[in-house]
Amino acid sequence: MQYSAAIITLLTTFSLFPVTIGRGLDGHGSHTHSSITLGKRDNSPSLSHNGKPSSIQNANGTRVTVDSPTIQQRDISPPASRNGKLSFTQSTSVTRVTINNPPINLLTVELISDLHEFLLWTQPGFGKTTPKVVIFSSAVPDFFISHFDLSNLVTSAGQTALAQLITCGRLLQSVTSTIFIAEVNGRTFGGGQELSSQMDMRFAGPRATVSQYENSVGFVAQAGGQIFLGSIIGKARALEHLLASQRINAQQGTDLGLFNNNYRDEATLRREVDGLAARIGLFPQAALNNTKFSLTFLSPTPQQLDEQIVTFSPIGAMPESQEAIREVISGSDQSLNDYEKNIPNSVVLSLYTQELSAMADGGRNVLDAVSGANGMSGWWRHDY
């Protein structure tokens, strides 16, 4: 797990510090790199007038079109998923992205690469039309997006994927011309929850369960999950969830503000999310861009996220963290089984057996504090 220096190098490669990514057109029609400087808020929006195309300004001063009134220009599709982990359904202004990496939508090198490539494609460019709304959903029953592939943490491919995963989170924030919605109707753990928490909205179905369980393994959520969770549900509640490696179901998440809303069945969830996305998609993209951009001050800054990575990366190199990861991989096999389904309690049980057995009640009270007899801890049951 010695990835502190290596990951910083890769983060520079994937634009987590002020470097250029993507390609655009300069004023003379020549290709040039267009900057997204993630060390500052980079999109300065302008409003449309009389239905004319509008633009936003990238960090290098280049203005790129974000809005056009002609429906024909909206009818575009993203490039095919290179590894086949994503499929796309395109309407006039909305793109539905369906994640399909069975059996648990594990964040493998291939899935992360496809997500990274797609999100790079959503960046606006001169003469380029991008979706007003993107909905992320899952084709895998009971899983939205699972955790990072732990078996790849120490490989060069895994290090590259981790850097791409972090960049994906930044793109969800910096691409202000597109609204990103998570349609969650299954488990989303670890890195999957980090991505979800950085989307603009989250809606839950009856099977939605989330957990940022990294503390139980001995490391931290460094792809933005910790700091974004705090900005969404508040410091004290985020600390309880993170420090105790708890899990949150659909109703609890809605009560906390983590989910915008939750629905009783999958059909209602999809209908409501589709309806909201279609309504948003009616409106001029410049106005949507301006609104999303104006609220970026409520999110953690790129500098804060960079500092978290540099500060916390060495924690994963500690011997106890490495040993815990080996235990989790051995117990779960990162496949569809009870261990994966019952994260984080399964992790706590497997890593802290001796400590639990030494307690007077065999650790039952501790396990209840993680997820409770009804799937929640004591205060999650409170009305507030």
Side-chain angles (χ1 to χ4, degrees):
M1 285 285 295
Q2 299 286 347
Y3 57 80
S4 179
I7 196 65
I8 293 171
T9 301
L10 287 164
L11 296 182
T12 303
T13 304
F14 290 108
S15 312
L16 298 192
F17 300 108
V19 294
T20 57
I21 58 178
R23 294 190 64 81
L25 292 170
D26 63 18
H28 304 288
S30 301
H31 283 282
T32 180
H33 283 287
S34 57
S35 242
I36 290 190
T37 305
L38 294 173
K40 65 178 181 180
R41 302 300 184 190
D42 49 72
N43 289 333
S44 174
S46 65
L47 298 176
S48 60
H49 299 280
N50 302 320
K52 300 285 182 67
S54 299
S55 62
I56 60 174
Q57 183 172 321
N58 284 335
N60 63 356
T62 303
R63 284 200 170 272
V64 292
T65 300
V66 299
D67 186 53
S68 172
T70 56
I71 290 177
Q72 288 79 5
Q73 288 179 302
R74 293 278 173 213
D75 191 17
I76 61 166
S77 297
S81 170
R82 187 185 305 271
N83 298 300
K85 304 301 181 182
L86 306 178
S87 60
F88 307 103
T89 305
Q90 182 73 31
S91 64
T92 302
S93 297
V94 179
T95 298
R96 176 175 283 274
V97 181
T98 303
I99 301 165
N100 190 19
N101 191 29
I104 62 170
N105 276 350
L106 189 69
L107 277 170
T108 57
V109 169
E110 294 79 13
L111 174 55
I112 293 171
S113 176
D114 283 354
L115 287 167
H116 181 253
E117 187 173 277
F118 169 73
L119 288 170
L120 285 175
W121 171 82
T122 65
Q123 296 177 103
F126 183 81
K128 176 184 177 183
T129 305
T130 55
K132 295 178 182 179
V133 184
V134 168
I135 303 167
F136 287 95
S137 59
S138 170
V140 176
D142 295 325
F143 284 87
F144 178 57
I145 310 175
S146 193
H147 54 80
F148 188 84
D149 180 2
L150 298 176
S151 66
N152 254 322
L153 274 176
V154 296
T155 68
S156 59
Q159 293 291 287
T160 299
L162 183 56
Q164 288 181 327
L165 177 65
I166 295 169
T167 304
C168 285
R170 305 300 175 85
L171 289 167
L172 290 169
Q173 294 292 308
S174 67
V175 179
T176 54
S177 52
T178 296
I179 310 304
F180 297 102
I181 299 176
E183 185 181 285
V184 183
N185 193 29
R187 295 166 176 82
T188 177
F189 299 146
Q193 171 57 13
E194 294 193 78
L195 281 182
S196 175
S197 67
Q198 292 175 78
M199 296 183 194
D200 300 307
M201 305 177 207
R202 291 158 296 280
F203 296 88
R207 297 193 300 273
T209 305
V210 305
S211 179
Q212 212 71 74
Y213 71 100
E214 286 86 348
N215 270 200
S216 66
V217 187
F219 55 96
V220 297
Q222 67 173 28
Q226 292 197 149
I227 196 166
F228 268 92
L229 188 66
S231 72
I232 295 168
I233 68 174
K235 178 183 176 181
R237 290 171 173 175
L239 281 173
E240 180 175 356
H241 173 65
L242 293 165
L243 295 175
S245 292
Q246 292 174 324
R247 66 184 177 201
I248 301 171
N249 66 26
Q251 185 58 57
Q252 296 154 17
T254 304
D255 292 342
L256 289 167
L258 181 59
F259 295 125
N260 293 59
N261 207 343
N262 69 93
Y263 299 97
R264 64 183 181 275
D265 56 65
E266 185 173 4
T268 305
L269 169 66
R270 179 154 186 159
R271 183 177 68 250
E272 293 296 322
V273 171
D274 280 345
L276 175 66
R279 182 182 175 93
I280 293 171
L282 293 173
F283 308 142
Q285 194 164 20
L288 304 178
N289 174 80
N290 190 41
T291 298
K292 178 173 174 177
F293 175 81
S294 70
L295 294 178
T296 55
F297 77 94
L298 294 171
S299 299
T301 66
Q303 294 96 321
Q304 290 171 325
L305 293 166
D306 292 342
E307 289 168 4
Q308 176 178 270
I309 294 166
V310 173
T311 302
F312 293 147
S313 288
I315 296 175
M318 296 171 65
E320 54 266 40
S321 298
Q322 297 182 55
E323 177 60 28
I325 289 170
R326 286 192 290 269
E327 288 284 341
V328 171
I329 293 173
S330 174
S332 72
D333 197 32
Q334 302 191 124
S335 59
L336 186 60
N337 53 41
D338 287 342
Y339 193 106
E340 282 288 339
K341 290 179 180 179
N342 291 308
I343 288 174
N345 256 5
S346 54
V347 175
V348 175
L349 282 167
S350 65
L351 296 182
Y352 304 97
T353 303
Q354 289 185 337
E355 292 87 345
L356 292 170
S357 61
M359 296 176 181
D361 63 351
R364 181 172 180 83
N365 190 48
V366 170
L367 294 176
D368 283 349
V370 174
S371 63
N374 296 313
M376 63 190 83
S377 74
W379 79 263
W380 296 122
R381 292 192 288 267
H382 295 173
D383 294 323
Y384 50 87

